[in-house]
């Protein structure tokens, strides 16, 4: 079947096109083609009167296809599809030909050649539409059910925002308690509030939404399948061994004979095998660390039925329509000997320093020794031009200044040195830099070619710096502590592999486009926020978490989403069931199924198919076509394009 | 009957458009009010954007098109919000002044015949006066709505536009209109004010023709640029040796703006990269205090600029002087050598900072929207919920709460939409599932 009553519209684009391309000549060149019923030029096809022209022509000329030659389809394809639909025609019986960017703009100084190219492009568009078939978008129902992976500040923020808009949230956290790294931090900038307080407040809000947020802690995602609209999730909830409430948990914890380094405090303190990481941690039940528990039963004696040392893991399964990844980051762990790390006592990282502050009241002490002089070394594990981490970790400059100021306020007579490359206290955070200077903290600048060196001399650590600010003077600083301002590293979670989300060059998760679609990934229905996407501070993290919630709500509140129909299609008569296409598919959308008669045929999952065309390319029988880009269309387009003008 | 909307978005730049689009896609009715004749904001003026070097127009025009065509968005351009009364939670009374374009907006088809016929030439604001426009004109090529307007201050009332208009849209008697609306929530996305480069007198902007500011450079580098080349203003020559001076009007207490503007390091590196790509042998220098390449892909971008041979010098420029041939002598203390250096350039670009643009708080008549110490809208719960203001139901996005780059502004705009939706839900304004393709908006009320 050939669509032989096509309307063709050549747009002047207010001179953008017509100053170069002779639009009248283009109309002349196509108006007598056998498939063309009417050809016109117009000043602005995208304007309301321009669109009305198409609508009226569809009715008056009984058109069965439309070609608009104007700007890039990125701009107005949806506009014209709308006009075609309003005129009563299937919107996929339409093609937009780009003669502005592809002709007028790039061949500005060759008007004749530009006109010839425009004619060829328009003719090929007519050829394509003449063989076009009606298509409809693939509608996918979106139940208001969302999986949020990770319950740090990003995951909690996203879960709360979604729940408040009546979305059912499954919030899955690997650790036994929620709150992530913000709960661990000391003061959060720029509010100056304690990280644990911010988390506590969010937890209070979370409790109010309990009916809509199903929280799983100590839980791992075991499998994740399906696509946008219907992901199937299997979660393994590991045993907590504390199964109910008890008024004497604190006694039970005290009686526990096991002591192990407390990971929440980076081993600065010890905890028991039954423990809370910090006061006010959530969920409110303690957890038993079975790797270290010797099942002596002391806690059971006190809390009885609340504790079950034989509890087993449970598996939970559910379906969701979208997935939010909020899996966070790891602080960079310096190599042994990097600036004296793990080589000399007193060389620690910034997150450890923040815990140390939280634990040291009155005096700042480390391993029993009072700390008076501190050197902060910046950009440890960041900005390595030819190294592992080329990127800047964004938050560390301000976090370090913030921590140093907090230390100065909490402890008397500290002497603080900052050994930095560039102080990136961007935006309003400038005030931390300014204040540190005012308070007498000293700044020394190094270049990466000549980094500072940390040595030990008697009781003191000696930091040797070639200081740029004094034009290369070699300075030796005797200090009690060296704090390494470490960057953020990407994590690699199993769920990333299960979902096949793409990574950026820096190893963090990749958004579709930082400006156009900043919270979506190339995998439909999988969104990202917080520090799994890039290094960020809490302000930027919570903003991105809310943005993810908003994007999700554009699906779930409406109840459905529509996917473009340009996917692969199998001609069952031609398909021999060879299966060559199956491994080619990057999204595992093709399956060989037995049909009546015992023969095997390829079947395409409409929702999984991304229309890449790889299967069509490999098929020896040309049995697979891409809807909207079928072989017969493409051949006719090429013929039209090479024909004499 | 007063027209009702679920949300009012003030400001039609990239943040305002994004908030409006998210809300509209979720099914809410949005009123978007923009002061200038077109939506698009500052981003529509830019050349290419870091760190991807996408053409700014190519990124923003689909958003402009989506905003103006969205069935759930009513767009009012060349209009200003004059008064807002918060009468109750979920109930704001809004007065909007619609300024006259002296063109019947419904009749105008954007054909530009009036523009071609108009004999009056005045400096074109969109191009920072680098070229002229007519008194009857369309704001810029991608403007939306694509409607002409007549600048009556410069019009000589010759009537030529009226005679050539094919739809009789010209109306010199049009009056300002005041319209009233009722909205349930407000999002402030009023952006920033660029620092006035002339205030930094040591650098001679406004006195030396070849000292230009960064937004002028953006126009000179844009694909839709006026001369299809970067020309220096004094004599139209293509400059060979160009310097960028960072932190002009930022990190400078003497000029009243102690904070950093977040984008100038990167846009300067980008401008130098773009310039260098067009002119491989150009000698380009960037004078900086700290290079703040902190965002995703920024450090890599800065490294690329260095690898392209662009010179980055740590040093605060003390003074710029002009030579007889309008070249410029930049006097700077080089921090790496400790020397006072003087270097001659063909052209100098001042990387001007982003200042607060918070006049919008004055329109709130019975509630006080708080500002931070720098005059930006205060983020009330900055760590946990950065888009809240101190007034419930009033949210902030983009540069209105502080200088920000485009990705951060867009993310925040999405966040403001999310908080707005939660606020509407809390008040019982819920979206019901829509069965047809056309979203219908709010169905259940309080």
């Amino acid at each position: 079947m050939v669509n032989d009553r096509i309307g063709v519209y050549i747009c002047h684009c207010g001179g953008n096109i017509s100053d170069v391309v002779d639009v009248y000549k283009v109309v002349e060149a196509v108006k007598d083609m056998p498939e063309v019923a009417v050809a016109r030029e117009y000043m602005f096809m995208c304007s309301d009167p321009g669109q009305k022209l198409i609508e009226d022509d569809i009715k008056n000329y009984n058109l069965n296809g439309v070609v608009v030659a104007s700007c890039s389809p990125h701009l107005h394809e949806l506009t014209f599809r709308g006009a075609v639909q309003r005129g009563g025609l299937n919107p996929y019986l339409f093609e937009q030909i780009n003669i502005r960017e592809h002709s007028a703009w790039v061949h500005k100084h060759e008007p004749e050649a530009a006109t010839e190219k425009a004619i060829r492009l328009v003719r090929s568009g007519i050829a394509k539409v003449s063989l076009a078939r009606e298509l409809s978008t693939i509608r996918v129902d979106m139940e208001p059910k969302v999986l949020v992976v990770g319950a740090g500040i990003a995951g909690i923020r996203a879960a709360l925002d979604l729940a408040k808009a009546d979305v059912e949230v499954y919030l899955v956290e690997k650790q036994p308690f929620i709150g992530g790294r913000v709960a661990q931090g000391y003061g959060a900038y720029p509010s100056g509030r304690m990280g644990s307080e911010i988390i506590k407040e969010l937890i209070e809000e979370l409790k109010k939404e309990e009916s809509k947020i199903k929280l799983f802690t100590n839980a791992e995602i075991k499998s994740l399948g399906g696509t946008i609209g219907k992901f199937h999730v299997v979660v393994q909830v590991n045993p907590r061994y504390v199964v109910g409430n008890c008024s004497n948990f604190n006694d039970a914890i005290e009686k526990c004979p096991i002591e192990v380094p407390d990971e929440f405090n980076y081993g600065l303190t010890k905890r028991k095998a039954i423990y809370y990481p910090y006061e006010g941690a959530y969920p409110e039940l303690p957890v038993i660390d079975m790797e270290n528990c010797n099942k002596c039963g002391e806690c059971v004696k006190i809390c009885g039925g609340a504790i079950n040392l034989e509890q087993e893991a449970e598996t939970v399964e559910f379906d969701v329509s979208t997935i939010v990844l909020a899996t966070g980051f790891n602080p960079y762990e310096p190599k042994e000997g990097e600036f004296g790390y793990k080589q000399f006592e007193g060389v620690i990282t910034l997150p450890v320093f923040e815990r140390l502050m939280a634990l040291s009241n009155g005096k700042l002490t480390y391993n029993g020794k009072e700390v008076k002089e501190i050197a902060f070394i910046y950009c440890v594990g960041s900005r390595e031009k030819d190294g592992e981490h080329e990127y800047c970790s964004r938050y560390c400059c301000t976090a370090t200044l913030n921590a140093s100021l907090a230390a100065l306020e909490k402890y008397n007579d500290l002497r603080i040195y900052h050994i930095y490359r560039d102080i990136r206290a961007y935006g309003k955070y400038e005030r931390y830099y300014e204040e540190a200077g005012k308070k007498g903290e000293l700044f020394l600048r190094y270049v990466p070619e000549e980094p500072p060196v940390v040595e030990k001399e008697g009781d003191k650590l000696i930091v040797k710096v070639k200081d740029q600010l004094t034009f290369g003077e070699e300075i030796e600083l005797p200090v009690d502590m060296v704090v390494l301002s470490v960057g953020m590293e990407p994590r690699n979670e199993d769920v990333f592999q299960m979902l096949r989300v793409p990574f950026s060059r820096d190893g963090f998760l990749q958004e579709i486009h930082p400006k156009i679609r900043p919270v979506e990934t190339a995998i439909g229905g999988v969104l990202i926020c917080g520090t799994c996407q890039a290094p960020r501070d809490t302000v930027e993290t919570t903003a991105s978490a809310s943005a993810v919630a908003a994007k999700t709500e554009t699906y779930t509140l409406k109840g459905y989403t529509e996917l473009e129909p340009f996917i692969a299609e199998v001609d069952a008569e031609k398909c021999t069931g060879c299966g060559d296409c199956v491994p080619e598919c990057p999204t595992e959308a093709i399956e060989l199924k037995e049909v009546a008669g015992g023969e095997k045929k390829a079947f395409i999952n409409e929702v999984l198919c991304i229309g890449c065309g790889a299967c069509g390319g490999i098929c020896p029988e040309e049995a697979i076509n891409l809807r909207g880009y079928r072989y017969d269309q493409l051949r006719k387009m090429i013929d039209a394009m090479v024909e004499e003008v | 009957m007063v027209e009702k909307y679920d949300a009012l978005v003030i400001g039609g730049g990239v943040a305002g458009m994004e908030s409006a689009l998210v809300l509209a896609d979720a099914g809410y009715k949005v009123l978007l009010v923009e002061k200038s004749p077109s939506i698009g904001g500052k981003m529509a003026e830019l050349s290419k954007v870091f760190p991807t070097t996408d053409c700014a127009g190519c990124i923003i025009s689909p958003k402009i098109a989506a905003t103006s065509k969205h069935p759930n968005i009513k767009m009012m351009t060349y209009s200003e919000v004059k008064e807002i009364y918060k009468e109750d939670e979920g109930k704001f009374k809004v007065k909007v002044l619609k300024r006259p374009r002296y063109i019947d907006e419904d009749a105008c088809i954007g054909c530009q015949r009036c523009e071609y016929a108009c004999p009056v030439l005045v400096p074109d604001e969109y191009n920072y006066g680098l070229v002229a426009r007519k008194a009857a004109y369309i704001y810029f090529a991608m403007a939306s709505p694509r409607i002409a307007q007549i600048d009556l201050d410069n019009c000589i009332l010759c009537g030529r536009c009226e005679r050539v208009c094919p739809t009789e849209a010209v109306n010199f008697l049009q009056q300002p209109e005041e319209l009233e609306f009722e909205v349930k929530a407000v999002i402030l996305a009023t952006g920033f004010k660029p620092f006035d480069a002339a205030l930094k007198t040591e650098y001679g902007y406004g006195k030396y023709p070849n000292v230009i500011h960064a937004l002028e450079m953006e126009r000179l580098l844009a694909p839709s640029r006026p001369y299809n080349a970067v020309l220096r203003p004094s004599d139209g020559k293509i400059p060979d040796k160009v310097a960028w001076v960072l932190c002009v009007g930022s990190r400078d207490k003497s000029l009243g703006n102690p904070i950093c503007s977040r984008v100038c390091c990167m846009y300067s590196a980008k401008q130098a990269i773009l310039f260098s790509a067009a002119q491989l042998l150009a000698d380009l220098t960037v004078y900086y205090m700290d290079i703040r390449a902190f965002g995703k892909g920024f450090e890599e971008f800065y490294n690329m600029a260095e690898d392209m041979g662009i010179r980055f010098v740590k040093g605060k420029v003390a003074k710029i002087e002009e030579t007889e041939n309008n070249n410029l002598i930049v006097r700077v203390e080089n921090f790496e050598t400790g020397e006072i250096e003087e270097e001659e350039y063909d052209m100098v670009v001042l990387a001007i900072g982003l200042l607060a643009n918070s006049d919008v708080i004055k329109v709130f008549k019975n509630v006080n929207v708080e500002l931070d110490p720098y005059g930006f809208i205060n983020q009330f719960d900055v760590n946990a919920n950065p888009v809240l203001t101190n007034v419930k139901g009033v949210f902030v996005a983009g540069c209105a709460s502080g200088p920000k780059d485009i990705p951060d502004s867009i993310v925040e705009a999405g966040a403001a939409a999310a908080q707005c939706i939660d606020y509407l839900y809390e008040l019982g304004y819920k979206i019901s599932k829509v069965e047809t393709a056309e979203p219908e908006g709010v169905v259940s009320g309080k």
Side-chain angles (χ1 to χ4, degrees), chain B residues 300-318:
Chain B
E300 293 89 330
F301 191 79
Y302 163 53
N303 286 340
M304 179 173 87
E306 273 199 316
D307 290 346
M308 286 174 76
I310 296 158
R311 199 163 67 108
F312 287 82
V313 176
K314 184 172 169 73
K316 181 83 184 150
V317 171

Side-chain angles (χ1 to χ4, degrees), chain B residues 47-48 50 53 214 217-218 221 230 240 242-246 264-287 301-302 304-306 308-312 349:
Chain B
S47 56
K48 297 190 176 179
F50 63 81
T53 54
M217 190 60 168
E218 286 297 320
L221 289 164
V230 176
D240 284 329
V242 182
W244 279 259
V245 179
L246 300 195
C264 327
C265 286
M266 292 305 293
Y267 76 58
S268 299
K270 171 206 71 184
Q271 291 186 345
I273 284 174
L274 294 177
F275 190 85
S276 159
Q279 246 179 289
L280 295 172
L281 297 177
D283 182 350
L284 309 177
T285 305
V286 177
Y287 292 105
F301 191 79
Y302 163 53
M304 179 173 87
E306 273 199 316
M308 286 174 76
I310 296 158
R311 199 163 67 108
F312 287 82
V349 183

Side-chain angles (χ1 to χ4, degrees), chain A residues 322-364:
Chain A
T322 61
I323 295 173
V324 174
L325 299 177
T327 49
F329 71 100
N330 281 335
Y332 169 69
E333 175 70 13
K335 296 176 195 77
E336 206 175 310
E338 194 173 354
F339 301 110
Y341 186 69
K342 290 210 168 144
Q343 185 182 6
F344 306 128
E345 192 185 83
V347 180
I348 62 174
T349 63
L350 181 64
V352 180
F353 180 71
E354 292 201 23
R355 287 317 304 155
L356 189 67
M357 275 207 288
L359 297 166
S360 306
N361 290 318
K363 283 180 180 171
L364 181 65

Side-chain angles (χ1 to χ4, degrees), chain A residues 44 191 424 428 434 538, chain B residues 146 253 291-292 383 401:
Chain A
F44 280 108
S191 67
R424 293 182 167 175
K428 297 187 223 171
E434 200 194 318
T538 51
Chain B
R146 222 193 126 78
K253 271 196 160 166
I291 286 290
R292 294 186 164 168
N383 286 109
S401 65

Side-chain angles (χ1 to χ4, degrees), chain A residues 627-638:
Chain A
R627 285 184 194 158
Y629 297 88
R630 291 194 329 277
Y631 285 114
D632 57 344
Q633 287 179 294
L634 298 180
R635 290 204 180 95
K636 193 167 175 184
M637 285 174 80
I638 295 168

Side-chain angles (χ1 to χ4, degrees), chain A residues 14 42-44 46-49 51 74-76 79 139 144 153 157 160-161 164-166 188-191 193 198 202 383 385 390-392 394 420 422-428 430-431 433-434 438 445 468-469 471 504-506 508-511 513-516 518 533-534 538-540 542-544 546-547 549-550 553-554 556-560, chain B residues 22 25-26 28 43 49-52 54 59 61-63 65 69 109-112 116 146 251 253 258-260 262 288 290-296 299-300 302-303 306-307 314 333-338 372 374 376 379 381-386 401-402 406-408 410-412 414-415 417-419 421-422 425 430-437:
Chain A
Y42 191 73
M43 184 57 79
F44 280 108
C46 61
S47 67
D48 290 338
Q51 294 185 51
H74 278 298
L75 236 59
H76 283 304
T79 311
R139 184 171 159 145
I153 195 165
R157 175 82 268 154
L160 272 175
D161 291 345
K164 286 180 182 178
D166 284 356
Y189 67 87
S191 67
R193 301 176 62 207
I198 294 173
L202 288 170
R383 300 185 66 192
K385 193 166 179 180
E390 191 185 349
Y391 58 89
C392 159
R394 184 169 186 150
Y420 75 101
D422 289 287
I423 290 286
R424 293 182 167 175
Y426 53 85
K428 297 187 223 171
E430 185 75 35
R431 76 172 153 97
Y433 187 18
E434 200 194 318
K438 263 193 210 158
R445 184 175 194 251
Q468 286 264 311
L469 301 181
F471 316 115
S504 315
R505 193 166 63 151
D506 54 19
F508 290 88
L509 296 182
Q510 171 91 59
E511 62 286 326
H513 190 283
K515 298 178 183 77
I516 301 174
Q533 186 180 4
T538 51
V539 182
E540 294 141 5
T542 48
S544 74
S546 288
E553 286 159 11
T554 62
T556 54
L557 297 191
K558 217 162 62 171
Y560 67 90
Chain B
V22 173
D25 280 346
Y28 288 100
M43 189 177 168
V49 283
F50 63 81
T52 44
D54 293 310
I59 303 289
S61 51
K63 286 212 196 264
K69 289 277 165 201
I109 55 167
C111 69
Q112 282 176 293
Y116 301 142
R146 222 193 126 78
R251 305 181 69 185
K253 271 196 160 166
I259 64 172
C260 151
R262 280 175 78 145
Y288 70 94
D290 293 278
I291 286 290
R292 294 186 164 168
F294 58 81
K296 185 167 183 169
E299 179 75 10
E300 293 89 330
Y302 163 53
N303 286 340
E306 273 199 316
D307 290 346
K314 184 172 169 73
E333 184 185 14
N334 184 329
F335 269 87
E336 271 148 53
T337 58
D372 72 12
Y374 315 107
F376 291 93
Q379 294 164 292
D381 186 6
V382 59
N383 286 109
N385 205 338
S401 65
I406 296 164
D408 287 349
I410 291 179
V411 163
E412 255 193 27
Q419 297 312 320
I421 292 171
D422 286 352
Y425 260 71
K430 301 188 177 187
I431 292 288
S432 83
K433 295 273 164 56
V434 223
E435 295 308 323
T436 59

Side-chain angles (χ1 to χ4, degrees), chain A residues 306 312 370 391 524 578:
Chain A
E312 283 184 8
E370 190 178 356
Y391 58 89
C578 71

